[in-house]
Amino acid sequence: RESNMKSLYARIATAGLLLAVSLVAGREGLRLPAYQDVVGIWTICYGDTHGVKQGQVATKAECDDRLMTEILRVSSRIERCVTRPLAVGERAAVVSMAYNHGVSRICESTFVKRLNAHDPKACDEIGRWVCASVDDGKGDKTGKCANAPRFNKIFVKGLANRRVIERRVCYGGQP
């Protein structure tokens, strides 16, 4: 019986990772030449910022490899802070958010605390992650980022759109 449960959890984890790959690739989009994101960070492929330099160009195969490597790394690190088995959609949403905002920030979040506490409304926290950090003096003027006082933040419509999809997936819906 224990072996069957481990097998079931492994299949759920795999399905969650595949859904996370689809979420990340679909929302980040594929860009082969390096570009600066909305806050000026050099980015390439599917939103990858690791070691990216101005003028860098990647192939589709390199981008696919970068995406899979990073999704697996993020998922492995998330497993250290999420203390309960996750449903497919929950895993996909948590991995997608950690890919986008960083594992440490997601692991320290109210979202993960609520997931770990089996809070049935934990996925509602996803909608709060719609701001990006910027340099001093360039903070949000809309008031939509007022609950993030540690950083200067800007509201990013693309993040808001992504969070709607991640929240729906987290609750078991389709992307």
Side-chain angles (χ1 to χ4, degrees), residues 37-64:
D37 69 8
V38 296
V39 295
I41 297 172
W42 284 102
T43 307
I44 200 164
C45 297
Y46 299 101
D48 191 346
T49 60
H50 295 96
V52 180
K53 307 225 180 327
Q54 182 178 2
Q56 185 175 345
V57 178
T59 66
K60 169 99 168 52
E62 290 168 335
C63 290
D64 291 346

Side-chain angles (χ1 to χ4, degrees), residues 9 12-13 15-17 19 82 84-94 115 123 169-172:
Y9 290 143
I12 289 170
L17 290 180
L19 185 52
V82 175
R84 68 165 180 90
L86 296 174
V88 171
E90 291 171 331
R91 177 171 300 282
V94 141
L115 277 176
C123 298
V169 166
C170 189
Y171 279 125

Side-chain angles (χ1 to χ4, degrees), residues 19 22-23 29 36-37 43 59 66 70 72 77 87 91 94 101 107 117 125 135 139 144 154 163:
L19 185 52
S22 174
L23 275 175
Q36 288 183 293
D37 69 8
T43 307
T59 66
R66 286 175 86 120
E70 186 62 9
L72 290 172
R77 291 185 59 208
R91 177 171 300 282
V94 141
H101 280 283
C107 281
E125 287 292 320
D135 294 332
K144 295 178 183 176
I154 57 168
R163 298 302 170 240

